[in-house]
mmCIF file with all atom_site columns, all heavy atoms in Angstrom:
data_model
loop_
_atom_site.group_PDB
_atom_site.id
_atom_site.type_symbol
_atom_site.label_atom_id
_atom_site.label_alt_id
_atom_site.label_comp_id
_atom_site.label_asym_id
_atom_site.label_entity_id
_atom_site.label_seq_id
_atom_site.pdbx_PDB_ins_code
_atom_site.Cartn_x
_atom_site.Cartn_y
_atom_site.Cartn_z
_atom_site.occupancy
_atom_site.B_iso_or_equiv
_atom_site.pdbx_formal_charge
_atom_site.auth_seq_id
_atom_site.auth_comp_id
_atom_site.auth_asym_id
_atom_site.auth_atom_id
_atom_site.pdbx_PDB_model_num
ATOM 1   N N   . CYS A 1 1  ? 85.988 132.239 134.945 1.00 96.00 ? 1  CYS A N   1
ATOM 2   C CA  . CYS A 1 1  ? 85.203 131.267 135.689 1.00 96.00 ? 1  CYS A CA  1
ATOM 3   C C   . CYS A 1 1  ? 86.057 130.721 136.822 1.00 96.00 ? 1  CYS A C   1
ATOM 4   O O   . CYS A 1 1  ? 87.271 130.958 136.862 1.00 96.00 ? 1  CYS A O   1
ATOM 5   C CB  . CYS A 1 1  ? 84.709 130.131 134.782 1.00 96.00 ? 1  CYS A CB  1
ATOM 6   S SG  . CYS A 1 1  ? 86.029 129.338 133.838 1.00 96.00 ? 1  CYS A SG  1
ATOM 7   N N   . ALA A 1 2  ? 85.436 129.989 137.745 1.00 97.00 ? 2  ALA A N   1
ATOM 8   C CA  . ALA A 1 2  ? 86.174 129.455 138.889 1.00 97.00 ? 2  ALA A CA  1
ATOM 9   C C   . ALA A 1 2  ? 85.525 128.173 139.367 1.00 97.00 ? 2  ALA A C   1
ATOM 10  O O   . ALA A 1 2  ? 84.298 128.027 139.311 1.00 97.00 ? 2  ALA A O   1
ATOM 11  C CB  . ALA A 1 2  ? 86.235 130.474 140.028 1.00 97.00 ? 2  ALA A CB  1
ATOM 12  N N   . ILE A 1 3  ? 86.353 127.252 139.829 1.00 97.00 ? 3  ILE A N   1
ATOM 13  C CA  . ILE A 1 3  ? 85.885 126.008 140.436 1.00 97.00 ? 3  ILE A CA  1
ATOM 14  C C   . ILE A 1 3  ? 86.047 126.146 141.943 1.00 97.00 ? 3  ILE A C   1
ATOM 15  O O   . ILE A 1 3  ? 87.166 126.326 142.441 1.00 97.00 ? 3  ILE A O   1
ATOM 16  C CB  . ILE A 1 3  ? 86.659 124.793 139.899 1.00 97.00 ? 3  ILE A CB  1
ATOM 17  C CG1 . ILE A 1 3  ? 86.384 124.623 138.401 1.00 97.00 ? 3  ILE A CG1 1
ATOM 18  C CG2 . ILE A 1 3  ? 86.279 123.526 140.659 1.00 97.00 ? 3  ILE A CG2 1
ATOM 19  C CD1 . ILE A 1 3  ? 87.188 123.514 137.740 1.00 97.00 ? 3  ILE A CD1 1
ATOM 20  N N   . MET A 1 4  ? 84.941 126.093 142.669 1.00 95.00 ? 4  MET A N   1
ATOM 21  C CA  . MET A 1 4  ? 84.934 126.324 144.112 1.00 95.00 ? 4  MET A CA  1
ATOM 22  C C   . MET A 1 4  ? 83.986 125.332 144.776 1.00 95.00 ? 4  MET A C   1
ATOM 23  O O   . MET A 1 4  ? 83.280 124.577 144.100 1.00 95.00 ? 4  MET A O   1
ATOM 24  C CB  . MET A 1 4  ? 84.487 127.762 144.408 1.00 95.00 ? 4  MET A CB  1
ATOM 25  C CG  . MET A 1 4  ? 85.372 128.827 143.780 1.00 95.00 ? 4  MET A CG  1
ATOM 26  S SD  . MET A 1 4  ? 84.767 130.517 144.036 1.00 95.00 ? 4  MET A SD  1
ATOM 27  C CE  . MET A 1 4  ? 83.314 130.529 142.971 1.00 95.00 ? 4  MET A CE  1
ATOM 28  N N   . ALA A 1 5  ? 83.979 125.367 146.096 1.00 92.00 ? 5  ALA A N   1
ATOM 29  C CA  . ALA A 1 5  ? 83.078 124.506 146.862 1.00 92.00 ? 5  ALA A CA  1
ATOM 30  C C   . ALA A 1 5  ? 82.012 125.365 147.521 1.00 92.00 ? 5  ALA A C   1
ATOM 31  O O   . ALA A 1 5  ? 82.297 126.418 148.083 1.00 92.00 ? 5  ALA A O   1
ATOM 32  C CB  . ALA A 1 5  ? 83.857 123.717 147.918 1.00 92.00 ? 5  ALA A CB  1
ATOM 33  N N   . GLU A 1 6  ? 80.778 124.919 147.433 1.00 89.00 ? 6  GLU A N   1
ATOM 34  C CA  . GLU A 1 6  ? 79.691 125.615 148.132 1.00 89.00 ? 6  GLU A CA  1
ATOM 35  C C   . GLU A 1 6  ? 79.749 125.294 149.619 1.00 89.00 ? 6  GLU A C   1
ATOM 36  O O   . GLU A 1 6  ? 80.287 124.248 150.013 1.00 89.00 ? 6  GLU A O   1
ATOM 37  C CB  . GLU A 1 6  ? 78.348 125.184 147.547 1.00 89.00 ? 6  GLU A CB  1
ATOM 38  C CG  . GLU A 1 6  ? 78.117 125.712 146.146 1.00 89.00 ? 6  GLU A CG  1
ATOM 39  C CD  . GLU A 1 6  ? 76.713 125.374 145.625 1.00 89.00 ? 6  GLU A CD  1
ATOM 40  O OE1 . GLU A 1 6  ? 76.224 124.269 145.923 1.00 89.00 ? 6  GLU A OE1 1
ATOM 41  O OE2 . GLU A 1 6  ? 76.131 126.206 144.926 1.00 89.00 ? 6  GLU A OE2 1
ATOM 42  N N   . PRO A 1 7  ? 79.208 126.175 150.465 1.00 85.00 ? 7  PRO A N   1
ATOM 43  C CA  . PRO A 1 7  ? 78.521 127.423 150.106 1.00 85.00 ? 7  PRO A CA  1
ATOM 44  C C   . PRO A 1 7  ? 79.493 128.595 150.017 1.00 85.00 ? 7  PRO A C   1
ATOM 45  O O   . PRO A 1 7  ? 80.571 128.565 150.592 1.00 85.00 ? 7  PRO A O   1
ATOM 46  C CB  . PRO A 1 7  ? 77.562 127.600 151.279 1.00 85.00 ? 7  PRO A CB  1
ATOM 47  C CG  . PRO A 1 7  ? 78.323 127.043 152.453 1.00 85.00 ? 7  PRO A CG  1
ATOM 48  C CD  . PRO A 1 7  ? 79.102 125.881 151.910 1.00 85.00 ? 7  PRO A CD  1
ATOM 49  N N   . PHE A 1 8  ? 79.077 129.619 149.281 1.00 85.00 ? 8  PHE A N   1
ATOM 50  C CA  . PHE A 1 8  ? 79.776 130.894 149.282 1.00 85.00 ? 8  PHE A CA  1
ATOM 51  C C   . PHE A 1 8  ? 78.734 131.987 149.054 1.00 85.00 ? 8  PHE A C   1
ATOM 52  O O   . PHE A 1 8  ? 77.605 131.696 148.644 1.00 85.00 ? 8  PHE A O   1
ATOM 53  C CB  . PHE A 1 8  ? 80.893 130.948 148.223 1.00 85.00 ? 8  PHE A CB  1
ATOM 54  C CG  . PHE A 1 8  ? 80.492 130.458 146.856 1.00 85.00 ? 8  PHE A CG  1
ATOM 55  C CD1 . PHE A 1 8  ? 79.794 131.280 145.980 1.00 85.00 ? 8  PHE A CD1 1
ATOM 56  C CD2 . PHE A 1 8  ? 80.824 129.177 146.449 1.00 85.00 ? 8  PHE A CD2 1
ATOM 57  C CE1 . PHE A 1 8  ? 79.441 130.833 144.727 1.00 85.00 ? 8  PHE A CE1 1
ATOM 58  C CE2 . PHE A 1 8  ? 80.463 128.719 145.184 1.00 85.00 ? 8  PHE A CE2 1
ATOM 59  C CZ  . PHE A 1 8  ? 79.775 129.543 144.315 1.00 85.00 ? 8  PHE A CZ  1
ATOM 60  N N   . PRO A 1 9  ? 79.066 133.242 149.338 1.00 82.00 ? 9  PRO A N   1
ATOM 61  C CA  . PRO A 1 9  ? 78.071 134.322 149.258 1.00 82.00 ? 9  PRO A CA  1
ATOM 62  C C   . PRO A 1 9  ? 77.425 134.410 147.884 1.00 82.00 ? 9  PRO A C   1
ATOM 63  O O   . PRO A 1 9  ? 78.076 134.192 146.863 1.00 82.00 ? 9  PRO A O   1
ATOM 64  C CB  . PRO A 1 9  ? 78.892 135.586 149.568 1.00 82.00 ? 9  PRO A CB  1
ATOM 65  C CG  . PRO A 1 9  ? 80.075 135.095 150.335 1.00 82.00 ? 9  PRO A CG  1
ATOM 66  C CD  . PRO A 1 9  ? 80.387 133.733 149.800 1.00 82.00 ? 9  PRO A CD  1
ATOM 67  N N   . ASP A 1 10 ? 76.144 134.716 147.857 1.00 76.00 ? 10 ASP A N   1
ATOM 68  C CA  . ASP A 1 10 ? 75.410 134.878 146.607 1.00 76.00 ? 10 ASP A CA  1
ATOM 69  C C   . ASP A 1 10 ? 75.868 136.159 145.930 1.00 76.00 ? 10 ASP A C   1
ATOM 70  O O   . ASP A 1 10 ? 75.607 137.260 146.406 1.00 76.00 ? 10 ASP A O   1
ATOM 71  C CB  . ASP A 1 10 ? 73.903 134.928 146.883 1.00 76.00 ? 10 ASP A CB  1
ATOM 72  C CG  . ASP A 1 10 ? 73.099 135.040 145.597 1.00 76.00 ? 10 ASP A CG  1
ATOM 73  O OD1 . ASP A 1 10 ? 73.708 134.949 144.511 1.00 76.00 ? 10 ASP A OD1 1
ATOM 74  O OD2 . ASP A 1 10 ? 71.871 135.217 145.682 1.00 76.00 ? 10 ASP A OD2 1
ATOM 75  N N   . THR A 1 11 ? 76.570 136.003 144.837 1.00 77.00 ? 11 THR A N   1
ATOM 76  C CA  . THR A 1 11 ? 77.101 137.173 144.126 1.00 77.00 ? 11 THR A CA  1
ATOM 77  C C   . THR A 1 11 ? 76.447 137.351 142.764 1.00 77.00 ? 11 THR A C   1
ATOM 78  O O   . THR A 1 11 ? 76.938 138.102 141.930 1.00 77.00 ? 11 THR A O   1
ATOM 79  C CB  . THR A 1 11 ? 78.622 137.027 143.934 1.00 77.00 ? 11 THR A CB  1
ATOM 80  O OG1 . THR A 1 11 ? 78.889 135.782 143.269 1.00 77.00 ? 11 THR A OG1 1
ATOM 81  C CG2 . THR A 1 11 ? 79.344 137.038 145.279 1.00 77.00 ? 11 THR A CG2 1
ATOM 82  N N   . GLY A 1 12 ? 75.346 136.645 142.521 1.00 84.00 ? 12 GLY A N   1
ATOM 83  C CA  . GLY A 1 12 ? 74.677 136.766 141.236 1.00 84.00 ? 12 GLY A CA  1
ATOM 84  C C   . GLY A 1 12 ? 75.373 136.030 140.113 1.00 84.00 ? 12 GLY A C   1
ATOM 85  O O   . GLY A 1 12 ? 75.096 136.275 138.936 1.00 84.00 ? 12 GLY A O   1
ATOM 86  N N   . LEU A 1 13 ? 76.275 135.106 140.448 1.00 91.00 ? 13 LEU A N   1
ATOM 87  C CA  . LEU A 1 13 ? 76.998 134.353 139.429 1.00 91.00 ? 13 LEU A CA  1
ATOM 88  C C   . LEU A 1 13 ? 76.136 133.218 138.884 1.00 91.00 ? 13 LEU A C   1
ATOM 89  O O   . LEU A 1 13 ? 75.233 132.725 139.552 1.00 91.00 ? 13 LEU A O   1
ATOM 90  C CB  . LEU A 1 13 ? 78.286 133.764 140.015 1.00 91.00 ? 13 LEU A CB  1
ATOM 91  C CG  . LEU A 1 13 ? 79.345 134.751 140.501 1.00 91.00 ? 13 LEU A CG  1
ATOM 92  C CD1 . LEU A 1 13 ? 80.429 134.020 141.275 1.00 91.00 ? 13 LEU A CD1 1
ATOM 93  C CD2 . LEU A 1 13 ? 79.952 135.507 139.319 1.00 91.00 ? 13 LEU A CD2 1
ATOM 94  N N   . ALA A 1 14 ? 76.432 132.798 137.664 1.00 94.00 ? 14 ALA A N   1
ATOM 95  C CA  . ALA A 1 14 ? 75.849 131.570 137.137 1.00 94.00 ? 14 ALA A CA  1
ATOM 96  C C   . ALA A 1 14 ? 76.646 130.402 137.708 1.00 94.00 ? 14 ALA A C   1
ATOM 97  O O   . ALA A 1 14 ? 77.876 130.472 137.802 1.00 94.00 ? 14 ALA A O   1
ATOM 98  C CB  . ALA A 1 14 ? 75.917 131.569 135.608 1.00 94.00 ? 14 ALA A CB  1
ATOM 99  N N   . ILE A 1 15 ? 75.951 129.335 138.098 1.00 94.00 ? 15 ILE A N   1
ATOM 100 C CA  . ILE A 1 15 ? 76.612 128.217 138.772 1.00 94.00 ? 15 ILE A CA  1
ATOM 101 C C   . ILE A 1 15 ? 76.146 126.899 138.171 1.00 94.00 ? 15 ILE A C   1
ATOM 102 O O   . ILE A 1 15 ? 74.942 126.692 137.955 1.00 94.00 ? 15 ILE A O   1
ATOM 103 C CB  . ILE A 1 15 ? 76.320 128.239 140.289 1.00 94.00 ? 15 ILE A CB  1
ATOM 104 C CG1 . ILE A 1 15 ? 76.956 129.476 140.924 1.00 94.00 ? 15 ILE A CG1 1
ATOM 105 C CG2 . ILE A 1 15 ? 76.822 126.970 140.972 1.00 94.00 ? 15 ILE A CG2 1
ATOM 106 C CD1 . ILE A 1 15 ? 76.592 129.668 142.382 1.00 94.00 ? 15 ILE A CD1 1
ATOM 107 N N   . ALA A 1 16 ? 77.098 126.014 137.900 1.00 95.00 ? 16 ALA A N   1
ATOM 108 C CA  . ALA A 1 16 ? 76.784 124.669 137.428 1.00 95.00 ? 16 ALA A CA  1
ATOM 109 C C   . ALA A 1 16 ? 77.428 123.665 138.375 1.00 95.00 ? 16 ALA A C   1
ATOM 110 O O   . ALA A 1 16 ? 78.640 123.739 138.626 1.00 95.00 ? 16 ALA A O   1
ATOM 111 C CB  . ALA A 1 16 ? 77.311 124.463 136.013 1.00 95.00 ? 16 ALA A CB  1
ATOM 112 N N   . PRO A 1 17 ? 76.666 122.737 138.944 1.00 95.00 ? 17 PRO A N   1
ATOM 113 C CA  . PRO A 1 17 ? 77.254 121.729 139.832 1.00 95.00 ? 17 PRO A CA  1
ATOM 114 C C   . PRO A 1 17 ? 78.134 120.767 139.050 1.00 95.00 ? 17 PRO A C   1
ATOM 115 O O   . PRO A 1 17 ? 77.810 120.396 137.912 1.00 95.00 ? 17 PRO A O   1
ATOM 116 C CB  . PRO A 1 17 ? 76.029 121.022 140.417 1.00 95.00 ? 17 PRO A CB  1
ATOM 117 C CG  . PRO A 1 17 ? 74.950 121.225 139.410 1.00 95.00 ? 17 PRO A CG  1
ATOM 118 C CD  . PRO A 1 17 ? 75.215 122.553 138.773 1.00 95.00 ? 17 PRO A CD  1
ATOM 119 N N   . LEU A 1 18 ? 79.234 120.357 139.648 1.00 96.00 ? 18 LEU A N   1
ATOM 120 C CA  . LEU A 1 18 ? 80.158 119.415 139.003 1.00 96.00 ? 18 LEU A CA  1
ATOM 121 C C   . LEU A 1 18 ? 80.120 118.046 139.684 1.00 96.00 ? 18 LEU A C   1
ATOM 122 O O   . LEU A 1 18 ? 79.885 117.037 139.043 1.00 96.00 ? 18 LEU A O   1
ATOM 123 C CB  . LEU A 1 18 ? 81.585 119.971 139.025 1.00 96.00 ? 18 LEU A CB  1
ATOM 124 C CG  . LEU A 1 18 ? 81.804 121.265 138.245 1.00 96.00 ? 18 LEU A CG  1
ATOM 125 C CD1 . LEU A 1 18 ? 83.224 121.776 138.445 1.00 96.00 ? 18 LEU A CD1 1
ATOM 126 C CD2 . LEU A 1 18 ? 81.511 121.063 136.764 1.00 96.00 ? 18 LEU A CD2 1
ATOM 127 N N   . TYR A 1 19 ? 80.356 118.022 141.006 1.00 96.00 ? 19 TYR A N   1
ATOM 128 C CA  . TYR A 1 19 ? 80.317 116.743 141.719 1.00 96.00 ? 19 TYR A CA  1
ATOM 129 C C   . TYR A 1 19 ? 80.198 116.978 143.220 1.00 96.00 ? 19 TYR A C   1
ATOM 130 O O   . TYR A 1 19 ? 80.526 118.050 143.724 1.00 96.00 ? 19 TYR A O   1
ATOM 131 C CB  . TYR A 1 19 ? 81.563 115.899 141.425 1.00 96.00 ? 19 TYR A CB  1
ATOM 132 C CG  . TYR A 1 19 ? 82.901 116.574 141.693 1.00 96.00 ? 19 TYR A CG  1
ATOM 133 C CD1 . TYR A 1 19 ? 83.474 116.562 142.968 1.00 96.00 ? 19 TYR A CD1 1
ATOM 134 C CD2 . TYR A 1 19 ? 83.607 117.200 140.675 1.00 96.00 ? 19 TYR A CD2 1
ATOM 135 C CE1 . TYR A 1 19 ? 84.701 117.163 143.216 1.00 96.00 ? 19 TYR A CE1 1
ATOM 136 C CE2 . TYR A 1 19 ? 84.832 117.800 140.910 1.00 96.00 ? 19 TYR A CE2 1
ATOM 137 C CZ  . TYR A 1 19 ? 85.380 117.775 142.171 1.00 96.00 ? 19 TYR A CZ  1
ATOM 138 O OH  . TYR A 1 19 ? 86.596 118.382 142.422 1.00 96.00 ? 19 TYR A OH  1
ATOM 139 N N   . ASP A 1 20 ? 79.665 115.969 143.910 1.00 95.00 ? 20 ASP A N   1
ATOM 140 C CA  . ASP A 1 20 ? 79.639 115.936 145.367 1.00 95.00 ? 20 ASP A CA  1
ATOM 141 C C   . ASP A 1 20 ? 80.796 115.056 145.826 1.00 95.00 ? 20 ASP A C   1
ATOM 142 O O   . ASP A 1 20 ? 80.927 113.909 145.362 1.00 95.00 ? 20 ASP A O   1
ATOM 143 C CB  . ASP A 1 20 ? 78.316 115.366 145.890 1.00 95.00 ? 20 ASP A CB  1
ATOM 144 C CG  . ASP A 1 20 ? 77.174 116.365 145.769 1.00 95.00 ? 20 ASP A CG  1
ATOM 145 O OD1 . ASP A 1 20 ? 77.454 117.577 145.658 1.00 95.00 ? 20 ASP A OD1 1
ATOM 146 O OD2 . ASP A 1 20 ? 76.009 115.932 145.776 1.00 95.00 ? 20 ASP A OD2 1
ATOM 147 N N   . GLU A 1 21 ? 81.601 115.591 146.744 1.00 95.00 ? 21 GLU A N   1
ATOM 148 C CA  . GLU A 1 21 ? 82.818 114.895 147.167 1.00 95.00 ? 21 GLU A CA  1
ATOM 149 C C   . GLU A 1 21 ? 82.754 114.555 148.655 1.00 95.00 ? 21 GLU A C   1
ATOM 150 O O   . GLU A 1 21 ? 82.671 115.450 149.495 1.00 95.00 ? 21 GLU A O   1
ATOM 151 C CB  . GLU A 1 21 ? 84.037 115.790 146.893 1.00 95.00 ? 21 GLU A CB  1
ATOM 152 C CG  . GLU A 1 21 ? 85.359 115.150 147.251 1.00 95.00 ? 21 GLU A CG  1
ATOM 153 C CD  . GLU A 1 21 ? 86.543 116.042 146.890 1.00 95.00 ? 21 GLU A CD  1
ATOM 154 O OE1 . GLU A 1 21 ? 86.342 117.274 146.744 1.00 95.00 ? 21 GLU A OE1 1
ATOM 155 O OE2 . GLU A 1 21 ? 87.655 115.517 146.751 1.00 95.00 ? 21 GLU A OE2 1
ATOM 156 N N   . PRO A 1 22 ? 82.766 113.270 149.003 1.00 95.00 ? 22 PRO A N   1
ATOM 157 C CA  . PRO A 1 22 ? 82.726 112.905 150.422 1.00 95.00 ? 22 PRO A CA  1
ATOM 158 C C   . PRO A 1 22 ? 84.045 113.209 151.125 1.00 95.00 ? 22 PRO A C   1
ATOM 159 O O   . PRO A 1 22 ? 85.093 113.331 150.492 1.00 95.00 ? 22 PRO A O   1
ATOM 160 C CB  . PRO A 1 22 ? 82.465 111.394 150.385 1.00 95.00 ? 22 PRO A CB  1
ATOM 161 C CG  . PRO A 1 22 ? 82.998 110.954 149.067 1.00 95.00 ? 22 PRO A CG  1
ATOM 162 C CD  . PRO A 1 22 ? 82.790 112.101 148.120 1.00 95.00 ? 22 PRO A CD  1
ATOM 163 N N   . PHE A 1 23 ? 83.980 113.338 152.450 1.00 94.00 ? 23 PHE A N   1
ATOM 164 C CA  . PHE A 1 23 ? 85.174 113.532 153.272 1.00 94.00 ? 23 PHE A CA  1
ATOM 165 C C   . PHE A 1 23 ? 85.590 112.184 153.857 1.00 94.00 ? 23 PHE A C   1
ATOM 166 O O   . PHE A 1 23 ? 84.760 111.299 154.081 1.00 94.00 ? 23 PHE A O   1
ATOM 167 C CB  . PHE A 1 23 ? 84.903 114.500 154.417 1.00 94.00 ? 23 PHE A CB  1
ATOM 168 C CG  . PHE A 1 23 ? 84.499 115.888 153.980 1.00 94.00 ? 23 PHE A CG  1
ATOM 169 C CD1 . PHE A 1 23 ? 83.853 116.746 154.866 1.00 94.00 ? 23 PHE A CD1 1
ATOM 170 C CD2 . PHE A 1 23 ? 84.752 116.341 152.695 1.00 94.00 ? 23 PHE A CD2 1
ATOM 171 C CE1 . PHE A 1 23 ? 83.476 118.021 154.477 1.00 94.00 ? 23 PHE A CE1 1
ATOM 172 C CE2 . PHE A 1 23 ? 84.384 117.613 152.294 1.00 94.00 ? 23 PHE A CE2 1
ATOM 173 C CZ  . PHE A 1 23 ? 83.747 118.453 153.189 1.00 94.00 ? 23 PHE A CZ  1
ATOM 174 N N   . VAL A 1 24 ? 86.876 112.043 154.113 1.00 95.00 ? 24 VAL A N   1
ATOM 175 C CA  . VAL A 1 24 ? 87.397 110.853 154.795 1.00 95.00 ? 24 VAL A CA  1
ATOM 176 C C   . VAL A 1 24 ? 88.326 111.310 155.918 1.00 95.00 ? 24 VAL A C   1
ATOM 177 O O   . VAL A 1 24 ? 88.797 112.452 155.929 1.00 95.00 ? 24 VAL A O   1
ATOM 178 C CB  . VAL A 1 24 ? 88.144 109.909 153.829 1.00 95.00 ? 24 VAL A CB  1
ATOM 179 C CG1 . VAL A 1 24 ? 87.224 109.405 152.741 1.00 95.00 ? 24 VAL A CG1 1
ATOM 180 C CG2 . VAL A 1 24 ? 89.345 110.618 153.215 1.00 95.00 ? 24 VAL A CG2 1
ATOM 181 N N   . VAL A 1 25 ? 88.600 110.405 156.841 1.00 94.00 ? 25 VAL A N   1
ATOM 182 C CA  . VAL A 1 25 ? 89.460 110.708 157.987 1.00 94.00 ? 25 VAL A CA  1
ATOM 183 C C   . VAL A 1 25 ? 90.848 110.143 157.720 1.00 94.00 ? 25 VAL A C   1
ATOM 184 O O   . VAL A 1 25 ? 90.993 108.985 157.320 1.00 94.00 ? 25 VAL A O   1
ATOM 185 C CB  . VAL A 1 25 ? 88.887 110.099 159.280 1.00 94.00 ? 25 VAL A CB  1
ATOM 186 C CG1 . VAL A 1 25 ? 89.740 110.511 160.476 1.00 94.00 ? 25 VAL A CG1 1
ATOM 187 C CG2 . VAL A 1 25 ? 87.441 110.538 159.488 1.00 94.00 ? 25 VAL A CG2 1
ATOM 188 N N   . ALA A 1 26 ? 91.864 110.961 157.921 1.00 94.00 ? 26 ALA A N   1
ATOM 189 C CA  . ALA A 1 26 ? 93.258 110.517 157.801 1.00 94.00 ? 26 ALA A CA  1
ATOM 190 C C   . ALA A 1 26 ? 93.842 110.370 159.200 1.00 94.00 ? 26 ALA A C   1
ATOM 191 O O   . ALA A 1 26 ? 93.796 111.317 159.998 1.00 94.00 ? 26 ALA A O   1
ATOM 192 C CB  . ALA A 1 26 ? 94.077 111.523 156.995 1.00 94.00 ? 26 ALA A CB  1
ATOM 193 N N   . VAL A 1 27 ? 94.350 109.188 159.514 1.00 95.00 ? 27 VAL A N   1
ATOM 194 C CA  . VAL A 1 27 ? 94.892 108.913 160.850 1.00 95.00 ? 27 VAL A CA  1
ATOM 195 C C   . VAL A 1 27 ? 96.268 108.262 160.707 1.00 95.00 ? 27 VAL A C   1
ATOM 196 O O   . VAL A 1 27 ? 96.560 107.621 159.685 1.00 95.00 ? 27 VAL A O   1
ATOM 197 C CB  . VAL A 1 27 ? 93.956 107.989 161.663 1.00 95.00 ? 27 VAL A CB  1
ATOM 198 C CG1 . VAL A 1 27 ? 92.577 108.611 161.816 1.00 95.00 ? 27 VAL A CG1 1
ATOM 199 C CG2 . VAL A 1 27 ? 93.834 106.619 161.000 1.00 95.00 ? 27 VAL A CG2 1
#
């Protein structure tokens, strides 16, 4: 199994969502 971020090509894998992660700006 693998933990990745969507999107990625449809490869016929089973997928379970884990979490939505917001982006922040580093300055």
Side-chain angles (χ1 to χ4, degrees):
C1 53
I3 296 175
M4 301 176 289
E6 290 185 323
F8 47 81
D10 182 7
T11 55
L13 296 170
I15 294 173
L18 297 175
Y19 55 85
D20 285 340
E21 182 177 21
F23 299 161
V24 299
V25 184
V27 301

